[in-house]
Amino acid sequence: MFLIPVPVLGIIVLGRIYRRLSGIDLYGDEALDGGQSGRSLLAIYVSGITICFAAGFLLGNQLGIAWTPWVIAAILVVGTVVVGRRYDGLLRTQLRSAAP
């Protein structure tokens, strides 16, 4: 149950690493966000994380199914990689269209 928040911390850490490596700021008023598709993707992802947290708590803590948080954590790791790559592609597309 304690490992489920790891993807959220991963998002924060990966965002900072991405900014350091690419020079692209993902935070702030003028930050690129992947357009409408990027915002929608992140909204769906955050909603999915919230549902996974609730399911992990309900099934793991309340119902006593001990393996559930591990499976949910694995699903979130895979989901983070998939969504991260898609979001990166949307950001790169937005950068290419904004370049002079």
Coordinates of all heavy atoms in Angstrom, one line a residue:
M1 N 0.8 -1.2 0.0 CA 0.0 0.0 0.0 C 0.9 1.3 0.0 O 0.5 2.3 -0.6 CB -0.9 -0.1 1.2 CG -1.9 1.0 1.3 SD -3.2 0.7 0.0 CE -4.2 2.0 0.3
F2 N 2.0 1.1 0.7 CA 2.9 2.3 0.7 C 3.6 2.6 -0.6 O 4.1 3.7 -0.8 CB 3.9 2.1 1.8 CG 3.3 2.0 3.2 CD1 3.3 0.8 3.9 CD2 2.8 3.1 3.8 CE1 2.8 0.7 5.2 CE2 2.2 3.1 5.1 CZ 2.2 1.9 5.7
L3 N 3.7 1.7 -1.5 CA 4.4 1.9 -2.8 C 3.5 2.5 -3.8 O 4.0 3.0 -4.9 CB 4.9 0.6 -3.3 CG 6.0 -0.1 -2.4 CD1 6.4 -1.4 -3.0 CD2 7.2 0.9 -2.3
I4 N 2.2 2.6 -3.6 CA 1.3 3.1 -4.6 C 1.6 4.6 -4.9 O 1.5 5.0 -6.1 CB -0.2 2.9 -4.3 CG1 -0.5 1.4 -4.4 CG2 -1.1 3.6 -5.2 CD1 -1.9 1.0 -4.0
P5 N 1.9 5.5 -4.0 CA 2.2 6.9 -4.3 C 3.5 7.1 -5.1 O 3.8 8.2 -5.6 CB 2.4 7.5 -3.0 CG 1.6 6.7 -2.0 CD 1.8 5.3 -2.5
V6 N 4.3 6.0 -5.4 CA 5.6 6.2 -6.1 C 5.4 6.8 -7.5 O 6.1 7.7 -7.9 CB 6.3 4.8 -6.2 CG1 7.5 4.8 -7.1 CG2 6.7 4.4 -4.8
P7 N 4.3 6.4 -8.3 CA 4.2 7.1 -9.6 C 4.0 8.6 -9.5 O 4.4 9.3 -10.3 CB 2.9 6.4 -10.2 CG 2.9 5.1 -9.5 CD 3.4 5.3 -8.1
V8 N 3.3 9.1 -8.4 CA 3.1 10.5 -8.3 C 4.4 11.2 -8.0 O 4.7 12.2 -8.7 CB 2.1 10.8 -7.1 CG1 2.0 12.3 -6.9 CG2 0.7 10.2 -7.5
L9 N 5.2 10.6 -7.2 CA 6.5 11.2 -6.9 C 7.4 11.1 -8.2 O 8.2 11.9 -8.5 CB 7.2 10.5 -5.8 CG 6.5 10.6 -4.4 CD1 7.2 9.8 -3.4 CD2 6.5 12.1 -4.0
G10 N 7.2 10.0 -8.9 CA 7.9 9.8 -10.2 C 7.6 10.9 -11.2 O 8.5 11.4 -11.9
I11 N 6.3 11.3 -11.3 CA 6.0 12.4 -12.2 C 6.7 13.7 -11.8 O 7.2 14.4 -12.7 CB 4.4 12.6 -12.1 CG1 3.7 11.4 -12.7 CG2 4.0 13.9 -12.8 CD1 2.2 11.5 -12.4
I12 N 6.8 14.0 -10.5 CA 7.5 15.2 -10.1 C 9.0 15.1 -10.4 O 9.5 16.0 -11.0 CB 7.3 15.4 -8.6 CG1 5.8 15.7 -8.3 CG2 8.1 16.6 -8.1 CD1 5.4 15.6 -6.9
V13 N 9.6 14.0 -10.1 CA 11.0 13.8 -10.4 C 11.3 13.8 -11.9 O 12.2 14.5 -12.3 CB 11.5 12.5 -9.7 CG1 12.9 12.2 -10.1 CG2 11.4 12.7 -8.2
L14 N 10.5 13.1 -12.6 CA 10.7 13.0 -14.1 C 10.5 14.4 -14.8 O 11.2 14.7 -15.7 CB 9.8 12.0 -14.7 CG 10.2 10.5 -14.4 CD1 9.1 9.6 -15.0 CD2 11.5 10.2 -15.0
G15 N 9.6 15.2 -14.2 CA 9.4 16.5 -14.8 C 10.6 17.4 -14.6 O 11.0 18.1 -15.5
R16 N 11.2 17.3 -13.4 CA 12.4 18.1 -13.2 C 13.6 17.6 -14.0 O 14.4 18.4 -14.5 CB 12.7 18.1 -11.7 CG 11.7 18.8 -10.9 CD 11.9 18.8 -9.4 NE 10.8 19.4 -8.8 CZ 10.8 20.2 -7.7 NH1 12.0 20.4 -7.2 NH2 9.8 20.7 -7.2
I17 N 13.7 16.3 -14.1 CA 14.8 15.7 -15.0 C 14.6 16.2 -16.4 O 15.5 16.6 -17.1 CB 14.9 14.2 -14.8 CG1 15.3 13.8 -13.4 CG2 15.8 13.6 -15.9 CD1 15.2 12.3 -13.1
Y18 N 13.4 16.1 -16.9 CA 13.0 16.5 -18.3 C 13.4 17.9 -18.5 O 14.0 18.3 -19.5 CB 11.6 16.3 -18.5 CG 11.2 16.4 -20.0 CD1 11.3 15.3 -20.9 CD2 10.6 17.6 -20.5 CE1 10.9 15.4 -22.2 CE2 10.2 17.7 -21.8 CZ 10.4 16.6 -22.6 OH 10.0 16.8 -23.9
R19 N 13.1 18.8 -17.5 CA 13.4 20.2 -17.7 C 14.9 20.4 -17.7 O 15.4 21.2 -18.5 CB 12.8 21.0 -16.5 CG 13.2 22.5 -16.6 CD 12.5 23.3 -15.5 NE 12.5 22.5 -14.2 CZ 11.9 22.9 -13.2 NH1 11.2 24.1 -13.1 NH2 11.9 22.2 -12.1
R20 N 15.6 19.7 -16.9 CA 17.1 19.9 -16.8 C 17.7 19.4 -18.1 O 18.7 20.0 -18.7 CB 17.7 19.1 -15.6 CG 19.1 19.3 -15.4 CD 19.7 18.7 -14.2 NE 19.0 19.3 -13.0 CZ 18.5 18.5 -12.0 NH1 18.6 17.2 -12.0 NH2 17.9 19.1 -11.0
L21 N 17.3 18.2 -18.7 CA 17.9 17.7 -19.9 C 17.5 18.4 -21.1 O 18.3 18.5 -22.1 CB 17.5 16.2 -20.0 CG 18.1 15.3 -18.9 CD1 17.6 13.8 -19.1 CD2 19.6 15.3 -19.0
S22 N 16.2 18.8 -21.2 CA 15.7 19.4 -22.5 C 15.7 20.9 -22.5 O 15.6 21.5 -23.5 CB 14.3 18.9 -22.8 OG 13.4 19.3 -21.8
G23 N 15.7 21.5 -21.3 CA 15.6 23.0 -21.2 C 14.1 23.4 -21.4 O 13.9 24.6 -21.4
I24 N 13.2 22.5 -21.4 CA 11.8 22.8 -21.6 C 11.1 22.8 -20.2 O 11.2 21.9 -19.5 CB 11.1 21.8 -22.5 CG1 11.7 21.9 -23.9 CG2 9.6 22.1 -22.5 CD1 11.2 20.7 -24.7
D25 N 10.5 24.0 -19.8 CA 9.9 24.1 -18.5 C 8.5 23.6 -18.6 O 7.7 24.1 -19.4 CB 9.9 25.5 -18.1 CG 9.4 25.7 -16.7 OD1 9.3 24.7 -16.0 OD2 9.2 26.9 -16.2
L26 N 8.1 22.6 -17.9 CA 6.8 22.0 -17.9 C 5.9 22.7 -16.9 O 4.7 22.3 -16.8 CB 6.8 20.5 -17.6 CG 7.6 19.7 -18.6 CD1 7.7 18.2 -18.1 CD2 7.0 19.7 -19.9
Y27 N 6.4 23.7 -16.1 CA 5.6 24.4 -15.1 C 5.6 25.8 -15.5 O 6.4 26.4 -16.2 CB 6.2 24.2 -13.8 CG 6.5 22.8 -13.4 CD1 7.8 22.2 -13.4 CD2 5.5 21.9 -13.1 CE1 8.0 20.9 -13.2 CE2 5.7 20.6 -12.8 CZ 7.0 20.1 -12.8 OH 7.2 18.8 -12.5
G28 N 4.6 26.6 -15.0 CA 4.5 28.0 -15.2 C 3.5 28.4 -16.2 O 2.8 27.5 -16.9
D29 N 3.3 29.7 -16.4 CA 2.2 30.2 -17.3 C 2.4 29.9 -18.8 O 1.5 29.7 -19.5 CB 2.0 31.7 -17.1 CG 1.6 32.0 -15.6 OD1 1.0 31.1 -15.0 OD2 1.8 33.1 -15.2
E30 N 3.7 30.0 -19.2 CA 4.0 29.9 -20.6 C 4.4 28.5 -21.0 O 4.9 28.2 -22.1 CB 5.0 30.9 -21.0 CG 4.6 32.3 -20.8 CD 3.4 32.7 -21.6 OE1 3.3 32.3 -22.8 OE2 2.5 33.4 -21.1
A31 N 4.3 27.5 -20.1 CA 4.8 26.2 -20.3 C 3.9 25.5 -21.4 O 2.7 25.6 -21.5 CB 4.7 25.4 -19.0
L32 N 4.6 24.7 -22.2 CA 3.9 23.9 -23.2 C 3.2 22.7 -22.5 O 3.6 22.2 -21.4 CB 4.9 23.3 -24.2 CG 5.7 24.3 -25.0 CD1 6.8 23.6 -25.8 CD2 4.8 25.1 -25.8
D33 N 2.0 22.4 -23.0 CA 1.2 21.3 -22.3 C 0.7 20.3 -23.3 O -0.1 19.5 -22.9 CB 0.1 22.0 -21.5 CG -0.9 22.8 -22.4 OD1 -0.7 22.8 -23.6 OD2 -1.8 23.4 -21.9
G34 N 1.2 20.3 -24.5 CA 0.7 19.3 -25.4 C -0.6 19.6 -26.1 O -1.2 18.7 -26.7
G35 N -1.1 20.8 -25.9 CA -2.4 21.2 -26.5 C -3.5 20.5 -25.8 O -3.4 20.0 -24.7
Q36 N -4.7 20.6 -26.4 CA -5.9 20.0 -25.8 C -5.7 18.5 -25.6 O -6.2 17.9 -24.6 CB -7.1 20.2 -26.8 CG -8.4 19.6 -26.2 CD -8.8 20.3 -24.9 OE1 -8.6 21.4 -24.7 NE2 -9.4 19.5 -24.1
S37 N -5.0 17.8 -26.5 CA -4.8 16.3 -26.3 C -4.0 16.1 -25.1 O -4.2 15.1 -24.4 CB -4.1 15.7 -27.6 OG -5.0 15.9 -28.7
G38 N -2.9 16.9 -24.9 CA -2.1 16.7 -23.7 C -2.8 16.9 -22.4 O -2.6 16.2 -21.5
R39 N -3.6 18.0 -22.4 CA -4.4 18.3 -21.2 C -5.4 17.2 -20.9 O -5.5 16.7 -19.8 CB -5.0 19.6 -21.3 CG -4.1 20.8 -21.2 CD -4.8 22.1 -21.2 NE -5.6 22.4 -22.4 CZ -5.1 23.0 -23.5 NH1 -3.9 23.3 -23.5 NH2 -5.9 23.2 -24.5
S40 N -6.0 16.7 -21.9 CA -7.0 15.6 -21.8 C -6.3 14.3 -21.3 O -6.8 13.6 -20.4 CB -7.7 15.3 -23.1 OG -8.4 16.4 -23.5
L41 N -5.1 14.0 -21.9 CA -4.4 12.8 -21.5 C -4.0 12.9 -20.0 O -4.1 11.9 -19.3 CB -3.1 12.7 -22.4 CG -2.2 11.5 -22.1 CD1 -2.9 10.2 -22.4 CD2 -0.9 11.6 -22.9
L42 N -3.5 14.0 -19.6 CA -3.1 14.2 -18.2 C -4.3 14.1 -17.2 O -4.2 13.5 -16.1 CB -2.4 15.5 -17.9 CG -1.0 15.5 -18.6 CD1 -0.3 16.9 -18.3 CD2 -0.1 14.4 -18.1
A43 N -5.5 14.7 -17.6 CA -6.7 14.6 -16.8 C -7.1 13.1 -16.7 O -7.5 12.7 -15.5 CB -7.8 15.4 -17.4
I44 N -7.1 12.4 -17.7 CA -7.5 11.0 -17.7 C -6.5 10.2 -16.8 O -6.9 9.4 -16.0 CB -7.6 10.4 -19.1 CG1 -8.7 11.0 -19.8 CG2 -7.7 8.9 -19.1 CD1 -8.8 10.7 -21.3
Y45 N -5.2 10.5 -16.9 CA -4.2 9.8 -16.2 C -4.3 10.1 -14.7 O -4.3 9.2 -13.9 CB -2.8 10.2 -16.7 CG -1.7 9.6 -15.9 CD1 -1.4 8.2 -16.0 CD2 -0.8 10.4 -15.1 CE1 -0.4 7.6 -15.3 CE2 0.2 9.8 -14.4 CZ 0.4 8.4 -14.5 OH 1.4 7.8 -13.8
V46 N -4.5 11.3 -14.3 CA -4.7 11.7 -12.9 C -6.0 11.0 -12.3 O -6.0 10.5 -11.2 CB -4.7 13.2 -12.7 CG1 -5.1 13.6 -11.3 CG2 -3.3 13.8 -13.0
S47 N -7.0 11.0 -13.1 CA -8.3 10.3 -12.7 C -8.0 8.9 -12.5 O -8.5 8.3 -11.5 CB -9.4 10.5 -13.7 OG -9.7 11.9 -13.9
G48 N -7.3 8.2 -13.4 CA -6.9 6.8 -13.3 C -6.1 6.5 -12.0 O -6.3 5.5 -11.3
I49 N -5.1 7.4 -11.7 CA -4.3 7.3 -10.5 C -5.2 7.3 -9.3 O -5.1 6.5 -8.3 CB -3.2 8.3 -10.5 CG1 -2.1 8.0 -11.5 CG2 -2.6 8.4 -9.1 CD1 -1.0 9.0 -11.5
T50 N -6.1 8.3 -9.3 CA -7.0 8.4 -8.1 C -7.9 7.2 -7.9 O -8.1 6.7 -6.8 CB -7.9 9.7 -8.3 OG1 -7.1 10.8 -8.5 CG2 -8.8 9.9 -7.1
I51 N -8.4 6.7 -9.0 CA -9.2 5.4 -8.9 C -8.3 4.3 -8.4 O -8.8 3.5 -7.6 CB -9.8 5.1 -10.3 CG1 -10.9 6.2 -10.6 CG2 -10.4 3.7 -10.4 CD1 -11.4 6.1 -12.1
C52 N -7.1 4.2 -8.9 CA -6.2 3.1 -8.5 C -5.9 3.2 -7.0 O -5.8 2.2 -6.3 CB -4.9 3.1 -9.3 SG -5.2 2.4 -10.9
F53 N -5.7 4.5 -6.5 CA -5.5 4.7 -5.1 C -6.7 4.2 -4.3 O -6.5 3.5 -3.3 CB -5.2 6.1 -4.7 CG -3.8 6.6 -5.1 CD1 -3.6 8.0 -5.2 CD2 -2.8 5.8 -5.5 CE1 -2.3 8.5 -5.5 CE2 -1.6 6.2 -5.8 CZ -1.3 7.6 -5.8
A54 N -7.8 4.6 -4.7 CA -9.1 4.2 -4.0 C -9.3 2.7 -4.0 O -9.6 2.0 -3.0 CB -10.3 4.9 -4.6
A55 N -9.0 2.1 -5.2 CA -9.2 0.6 -5.3 C -8.1 -0.1 -4.5 O -8.4 -1.1 -3.8 CB -9.0 0.2 -6.8
G56 N -6.9 0.4 -4.5 CA -5.9 -0.2 -3.6 C -6.2 -0.2 -2.2 O -6.0 -1.1 -1.4
F57 N -6.7 1.0 -1.7 CA -7.1 1.1 -0.3 C -8.3 0.2 0.0 O -8.3 -0.5 1.0 CB -7.5 2.6 0.0 CG -7.9 2.7 1.4 CD1 -7.0 2.7 2.5 CD2 -9.3 2.9 1.7 CE1 -7.5 2.9 3.8 CE2 -9.7 3.1 3.0 CZ -8.8 3.1 4.0
L58 N -9.3 0.2 -0.8 CA -10.5 -0.6 -0.6 C -10.2 -2.1 -0.6 O -10.5 -2.8 0.4 CB -11.6 -0.3 -1.6 CG -12.9 -1.1 -1.5 CD1 -13.6 -0.7 -0.2 CD2 -13.7 -0.8 -2.7
L59 N -9.5 -2.5 -1.6 CA -9.3 -4.0 -1.8 C -8.1 -4.4 -0.8 O -8.2 -5.5 -0.3 CB -8.9 -4.3 -3.2 CG -10.1 -4.1 -4.2 CD1 -9.6 -4.3 -5.6 CD2 -11.3 -5.0 -3.9
G60 N -7.1 -3.6 -0.7 CA -6.0 -4.1 0.1 C -6.1 -3.9 1.6 O -5.8 -4.8 2.4
N61 N -6.6 -2.7 2.0 CA -6.7 -2.4 3.4 C -8.0 -2.8 4.0 O -8.1 -3.4 5.1 CB -6.5 -0.9 3.6 CG -6.2 -0.5 5.0 OD1 -5.8 -1.4 5.8 ND2 -6.4 0.7 5.4
Q62 N -9.1 -2.5 3.3 CA -10.4 -2.8 3.9 C -10.9 -4.2 3.7 O -11.5 -4.8 4.6 CB -11.5 -1.8 3.3 CG -11.2 -0.4 3.5 CD -11.3 0.0 5.0 OE1 -12.1 -0.5 5.7 NE2 -10.3 0.9 5.4
L63 N -10.6 -4.8 2.6 CA -11.0 -6.2 2.3 C -9.9 -7.2 2.6 O -10.2 -8.4 2.6 CB -11.5 -6.3 0.9 CG -12.8 -5.5 0.6 CD1 -13.2 -5.7 -0.9 CD2 -13.9 -5.8 1.5
G64 N -8.7 -6.8 2.8 CA -7.6 -7.6 3.2 C -7.0 -8.5 2.1 O -6.4 -9.5 2.3
I65 N -7.2 -8.1 0.9 CA -6.6 -8.8 -0.3 C -5.2 -8.2 -0.4 O -5.0 -7.2 -1.1 CB -7.4 -8.6 -1.6 CG1 -8.9 -9.1 -1.3 CG2 -6.8 -9.4 -2.7 CD1 -9.8 -8.7 -2.4
A66 N -4.2 -8.9 0.1 CA -2.9 -8.4 0.2 C -2.1 -8.2 -1.1 O -1.3 -7.3 -1.2 CB -2.0 -9.4 1.1
W67 N -2.4 -8.9 -2.1 CA -1.7 -8.8 -3.4 C -2.2 -7.6 -4.3 O -1.6 -7.2 -5.2 CB -1.8 -10.1 -4.2 CG -3.2 -10.5 -4.4 CD1 -3.9 -11.4 -3.7 CD2 -4.0 -10.2 -5.5 NE1 -5.1 -11.6 -4.2 CE2 -5.2 -10.9 -5.3 CE3 -3.9 -9.3 -6.6 CZ2 -6.3 -10.7 -6.2 CZ3 -5.0 -9.2 -7.5 CH2 -6.2 -9.9 -7.3
T68 N -3.4 -7.1 -3.9 CA -4.0 -6.0 -4.8 C -3.1 -4.8 -4.9 O -2.9 -4.3 -6.0 CB -5.4 -5.7 -4.2 OG1 -6.2 -6.8 -4.1 CG2 -6.1 -4.7 -5.1
P69 N -2.6 -4.2 -3.9 CA -1.7 -3.0 -4.0 C -0.5 -3.3 -4.9 O -0.1 -2.4 -5.7 CB -1.3 -2.7 -2.6 CG -2.4 -3.2 -1.7 CD -2.8 -4.5 -2.4
W70 N 0.0 -4.5 -4.9 CA 1.2 -4.8 -5.8 C 0.8 -4.8 -7.2 O 1.5 -4.3 -8.1 CB 1.8 -6.1 -5.4 CG 2.4 -6.1 -4.0 CD1 1.9 -6.6 -2.9 CD2 3.7 -5.5 -3.7 NE1 2.8 -6.3 -1.8 CE2 3.9 -5.7 -2.3 CE3 4.7 -4.8 -4.4 CZ2 5.0 -5.2 -1.6 CZ3 5.8 -4.4 -3.7 CH2 5.9 -4.6 -2.4
V71 N -0.4 -5.4 -7.5 CA -0.8 -5.4 -8.9 C -1.2 -4.0 -9.4 O -0.8 -3.6 -10.5 CB -2.1 -6.3 -9.0 CG1 -2.7 -6.2 -10.4 CG2 -1.7 -7.8 -8.7
I72 N -1.8 -3.2 -8.5 CA -2.2 -1.8 -8.9 C -0.9 -1.0 -9.1 O -0.8 -0.2 -10.0 CB -3.1 -1.2 -7.9 CG1 -4.5 -1.9 -8.0 CG2 -3.3 0.3 -8.1 CD1 -5.5 -1.5 -6.9
A73 N 0.1 -1.2 -8.2 CA 1.4 -0.5 -8.4 C 2.0 -0.8 -9.7 O 2.5 0.0 -10.4 CB 2.3 -0.8 -7.2
A74 N 2.0 -2.1 -10.1 CA 2.6 -2.5 -11.4 C 1.8 -1.9 -12.6 O 2.4 -1.5 -13.5 CB 2.6 -4.1 -11.5
I75 N 0.5 -1.9 -12.5 CA -0.3 -1.3 -13.5 C 0.0 0.2 -13.6 O 0.1 0.8 -14.7 CB -1.8 -1.5 -13.2 CG1 -2.2 -2.9 -13.4 CG2 -2.7 -0.6 -14.1 CD1 -3.6 -3.3 -12.9
L76 N 0.2 0.9 -12.5 CA 0.5 2.3 -12.5 C 1.9 2.6 -13.1 O 2.1 3.6 -13.8 CB 0.4 2.9 -11.1 CG -1.0 3.1 -10.6 CD1 -1.0 3.6 -9.2 CD2 -1.8 4.1 -11.5
V77 N 2.9 1.7 -12.9 CA 4.2 1.9 -13.4 C 4.1 1.8 -15.0 O 4.7 2.6 -15.7 CB 5.2 0.8 -12.9 CG1 6.5 0.7 -13.7 CG2 5.5 1.1 -11.4
V78 N 3.4 0.7 -15.4 CA 3.3 0.6 -16.9 C 2.5 1.8 -17.5 O 2.9 2.3 -18.5 CB 2.6 -0.8 -17.2 CG1 2.2 -0.9 -18.7 CG2 3.5 -1.9 -16.8
G79 N 1.4 2.2 -16.8 CA 0.6 3.3 -17.3 C 1.4 4.6 -17.3 O 1.3 5.4 -18.2
T80 N 2.3 4.8 -16.3 CA 3.1 6.0 -16.3 C 4.1 6.0 -17.5 O 4.3 7.1 -18.1 CB 3.9 6.0 -15.0 OG1 3.0 6.1 -13.9 CG2 4.8 7.2 -14.9
V81 N 4.7 4.9 -17.8 CA 5.6 4.8 -19.0 C 4.8 5.1 -20.3 O 5.3 5.9 -21.1 CB 6.3 3.5 -19.0 CG1 7.1 3.3 -20.3 CG2 7.2 3.3 -17.8
V82 N 3.7 4.5 -20.4 CA 2.9 4.6 -21.7 C 2.4 6.1 -21.8 O 2.6 6.7 -22.9 CB 1.7 3.6 -21.7 CG1 0.8 3.9 -22.8 CG2 2.2 2.2 -21.8
V83 N 1.8 6.6 -20.7 CA 1.3 8.0 -20.8 C 2.5 9.0 -21.0 O 2.4 9.9 -21.7 CB 0.5 8.3 -19.6 CG1 0.2 9.8 -19.4 CG2 -0.8 7.5 -19.6
G84 N 3.6 8.7 -20.3 CA 4.7 9.6 -20.4 C 5.3 9.7 -21.8 O 5.6 10.8 -22.3
R85 N 5.4 8.5 -22.5 CA 5.8 8.6 -23.9 C 4.9 9.3 -24.8 O 5.3 10.0 -25.7 CB 6.1 7.1 -24.3 CG 7.3 6.5 -23.7 CD 7.6 5.2 -24.2 NE 8.8 4.6 -23.6 CZ 9.3 3.5 -23.9 NH1 8.8 2.7 -24.8 NH2 10.4 3.1 -23.3
R86 N 3.6 9.0 -24.6 CA 2.6 9.7 -25.4 C 2.6 11.2 -25.2 O 2.6 12.0 -26.1 CB 1.2 9.1 -25.1 CG 0.1 9.8 -25.9 CD 0.1 9.5 -27.4 NE -0.9 10.1 -28.0 CZ -0.8 10.9 -29.1 NH1 0.4 11.0 -29.7 NH2 -1.8 11.5 -29.6
Y87 N 2.7 11.6 -23.9 CA 2.7 13.0 -23.6 C 4.0 13.7 -24.1 O 3.9 14.8 -24.7 CB 2.6 13.2 -22.1 CG 2.5 14.6 -21.6 CD1 1.3 15.3 -21.9 CD2 3.5 15.3 -21.0 CE1 1.1 16.6 -21.5 CE2 3.3 16.6 -20.6 CZ 2.2 17.3 -20.8 OH 2.0 18.6 -20.5
D88 N 5.1 13.0 -24.1 CA 6.4 13.5 -24.6 C 6.2 13.7 -26.1 O 6.6 14.8 -26.7 CB 7.5 12.5 -24.3 CG 8.8 13.0 -24.8 OD1 9.3 14.1 -24.4 OD2 9.4 12.4 -25.7
G89 N 5.6 12.8 -26.8 CA 5.3 13.0 -28.2 C 4.4 14.2 -28.5 O 4.7 14.9 -29.5
L90 N 3.4 14.4 -27.7 CA 2.6 15.6 -27.9 C 3.3 16.9 -27.7 O 3.2 17.9 -28.4 CB 1.4 15.5 -27.0 CG 0.3 14.4 -27.3 CD1 -0.7 14.3 -26.1 CD2 -0.4 14.7 -28.6
L91 N 4.2 16.9 -26.6 CA 5.0 18.1 -26.4 C 6.0 18.3 -27.5 O 6.2 19.5 -28.0 CB 5.8 17.9 -25.1 CG 5.1 18.1 -23.8 CD1 6.0 17.8 -22.6 CD2 4.5 19.5 -23.7
R92 N 6.6 17.3 -28.1 CA 7.5 17.5 -29.2 C 6.8 18.0 -30.4 O 7.3 18.8 -31.1 CB 8.3 16.2 -29.5 CG 9.3 15.8 -28.4 CD 9.9 14.4 -28.6 NE 10.7 14.0 -27.5 CZ 11.9 14.2 -27.3 NH1 12.6 14.9 -28.3 NH2 12.6 13.8 -26.3
T93 N 5.6 17.5 -30.7 CA 4.8 18.0 -31.8 C 4.5 19.5 -31.6 O 4.6 20.2 -32.6 CB 3.5 17.2 -31.9 OG1 3.9 15.8 -32.1 CG2 2.7 17.6 -33.1
Q94 N 4.1 19.8 -30.4 CA 3.8 21.2 -30.1 C 5.1 22.1 -30.3 O 5.0 23.2 -30.8 CB 3.2 21.4 -28.7 CG 2.7 22.7 -28.4 CD 2.0 22.8 -27.1 OE1 2.2 22.0 -26.2 NE2 1.2 23.9 -26.9
L95 N 6.2 21.6 -29.8 CA 7.5 22.4 -30.0 C 7.8 22.5 -31.5 O 8.2 23.6 -31.9 CB 8.6 21.6 -29.3 CG 8.8 21.9 -27.9 CD1 9.9 20.9 -27.3 CD2 9.2 23.3 -27.6
R96 N 7.7 21.5 -32.3 CA 8.0 21.6 -33.7 C 7.0 22.6 -34.4 O 7.5 23.4 -35.3 CB 7.8 20.2 -34.4 CG 9.0 19.4 -34.2 CD 9.0 18.1 -35.1 NE 7.9 17.2 -34.8 CZ 8.0 16.2 -33.9 NH1 9.1 16.0 -33.2 NH2 6.9 15.5 -33.6
S97 N 5.8 22.7 -34.0 CA 4.9 23.6 -34.6 C 5.1 25.0 -34.2 O 4.8 26.0 -34.9 CB 3.4 23.2 -34.4 OG 3.1 23.3 -33.0
A98 N 5.7 25.2 -33.0 CA 6.0 26.6 -32.5 C 7.3 27.1 -32.9 O 7.6 28.3 -32.8 CB 5.9 26.5 -31.0
A99 N 8.2 26.2 -33.4 CA 9.6 26.6 -33.8 C 9.5 27.5 -35.0 O 8.7 27.3 -35.9 CB 10.4 25.4 -34.0
P100 N 10.4 28.5 -35.1 CA 10.4 29.4 -36.3 C 10.9 28.7 -37.5 O 11.6 27.8 -37.6 CB 11.3 30.5 -35.9 CG 12.1 30.0 -34.7 CD 11.4 28.9 -34.1

